């Protein structure tokens, strides 16, 4: 190997050992999947927050609850976040009210269970794939490090057949090995940033939803007691 050896990024990848290339492929696939989840989660969380804010304004504007329920029930895929929790709670309230002899406390227990179940489904939907982002962020650097260690081992093993080792002999092997670490960091950093950001956004939204459930339960409690 001579000083004029091609050290371009593409050449180093194509000339890397099979193990290092496999590590790079795994990391690239993890990076592509994490970016896909990053964009999809950004859309879904932003949509849930926006729709919840719109519904909250309508709810507190003094609209009739029955009309609001009919409108939310017919919204289809647009019925998400706070609107879906309201639909589950008010729908259960109307169903319980039609039954004879149901006490107000039992009625409200049923309503709260319905809202809590829908709330949990909403949070589970928003948190889907976040575990993959967390895994990518924590595991990718170590996978890249494994590829780097393996590549450096191969580079030094190659020196055994060289009479006089120079930087030109060891540089390509070390360079191709370090690419694995770089790709690992490239996969990990966006995943960690997105995971922390989305977890914060979901926590904020969950607090709003829980507050709404409490306030809505108080409204229904007063209606059930009449």
């Amino acid at each position: 190997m001579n000083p004029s050896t091609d050290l371009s990024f593409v050449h180093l990848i194509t000339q890397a050992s099979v193990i290092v290339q496999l590590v790079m492929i795994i990391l690239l696939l993890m990076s592509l999947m994490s970016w896909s989840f990053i964009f999809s989660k950004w859309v879904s969380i932003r949509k849930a927050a926006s729709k919840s804010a719109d519904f909250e304004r309508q709810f507190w504007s003094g609209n009739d609850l029955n009309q609001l329920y009919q409108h939310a029930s017919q919204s289809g895929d647009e019925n998400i976040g706070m609107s879906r929790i309201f639909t589950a709670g008010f729908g259960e309230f109307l169903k319980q009210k039609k039954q004879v002899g149901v006490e107000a406390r039992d009625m409200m227990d049923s309503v709260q269970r319905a809202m809590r179940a829908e709330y949990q489904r909403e949070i589970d939907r928003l948190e889907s794939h976040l575990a993959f982002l967390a895994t990518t962020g924590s595991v990718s650097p170590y996978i890249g490090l494994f590829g780097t260690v393996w590549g450096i081992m191969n580079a030094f093993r190659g020196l055994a057949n060289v009479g006089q080792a120079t930087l030109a002999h060891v540089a390509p092997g070390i360079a191709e090995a370090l690419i694995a670490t770089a790709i690992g960091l490239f996969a990990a950093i966006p995943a960690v940033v997105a995971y922390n950001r989305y977890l914060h956004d979901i926590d904020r939204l969950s607090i709003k939803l829980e507050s709404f459930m409490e306030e809505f339960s108080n409204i229904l409690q007063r209606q059930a007691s009449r």
Side-chain angles (χ1 to χ4, degrees):
M1 201 170 296
N2 53 63
S4 62
T5 300
D6 187 359
L7 293 178
S8 66
F9 190 80
V10 175
H11 179 80
L12 290 174
I13 292 177
T14 56
Q15 296 302 311
S17 64
V18 175
I19 297 297
V20 176
Q21 287 181 340
L22 182 61
V23 166
M24 293 178 183
I25 291 173
I26 292 173
L27 290 172
L28 286 173
L29 290 176
M30 291 179 68
S31 179
L32 289 174
M33 290 181 64
S34 66
W35 276 107
S36 173
F37 293 146
I38 285 171
F39 285 118
S40 65
K41 285 290 96 182
W42 180 78
V43 171
S44 61
I45 293 174
R46 185 178 182 184
K47 183 177 181 181
S50 175
K51 293 294 182 181
S52 294
D54 291 342
F55 176 81
E56 190 173 25
R57 283 192 293 270
Q58 294 178 27
F59 181 84
W60 294 113
S61 64
N63 291 336
D64 181 70
L65 292 182
N66 288 285
Q67 293 181 356
L68 198 59
Y69 173 74
Q70 292 297 328
H71 176 73
S73 301
Q74 298 170 2
S75 297
D77 294 338
E78 297 300 313
N79 184 22
I80 61 176
M82 193 177 293
S83 174
R84 185 170 290 179
I85 292 173
F86 165 80
T87 303
F90 197 68
E92 183 65 24
F93 177 77
L94 294 177
K95 185 167 62 176
Q96 292 292 325
K97 209 170 184 182
K98 291 178 182 178
Q99 299 182 14
V100 180
V102 180
E103 294 185 2
R105 185 167 65 178
D106 294 334
M107 183 186 301
M108 291 309 303
D109 286 343
S110 181
V111 169
Q112 289 172 353
R113 284 196 300 269
M115 288 196 295
R116 177 59 59 176
E118 194 60 49
Y119 162 83
Q120 193 58 56
R121 281 192 289 269
E122 281 293 293
I123 297 301
D124 289 343
R125 181 182 65 83
L126 292 174
E127 289 182 344
S128 63
H129 305 310
L130 286 187
F132 180 84
L133 294 180
T135 301
T136 300
S138 60
V139 171
S140 293
Y142 295 103
I143 297 177
L145 184 60
F146 170 76
T148 297
V149 172
W150 189 273
I152 291 176
M153 286 172 54
N154 282 341
F156 281 104
R157 284 174 57 192
L159 293 179
N161 301 322
V162 179
Q164 184 176 0
T166 64
L167 183 60
H169 291 106
V170 73
I174 294 179
E176 72 184 31
L178 291 175
I179 291 176
T181 296
I183 297 176
L185 294 175
F186 176 79
I189 293 173
V192 170
V193 172
Y195 173 80
N196 291 329
R197 176 62 188 179
Y198 293 158
L199 201 61
H200 172 71
D201 291 343
I202 292 172
D203 284 343
R204 288 182 58 189
L205 181 58
S206 68
I207 291 173
K208 289 184 63 176
L209 296 180
E210 287 179 335
S211 298
F212 171 77
M213 286 191 295
E214 290 294 328
E215 293 167 341
F216 186 43
S217 293
N218 291 335
I219 294 174
L220 295 180
Q221 178 72 51
R222 289 193 292 269
Q223 292 192 9
S225 302
R226 293 176 183 174

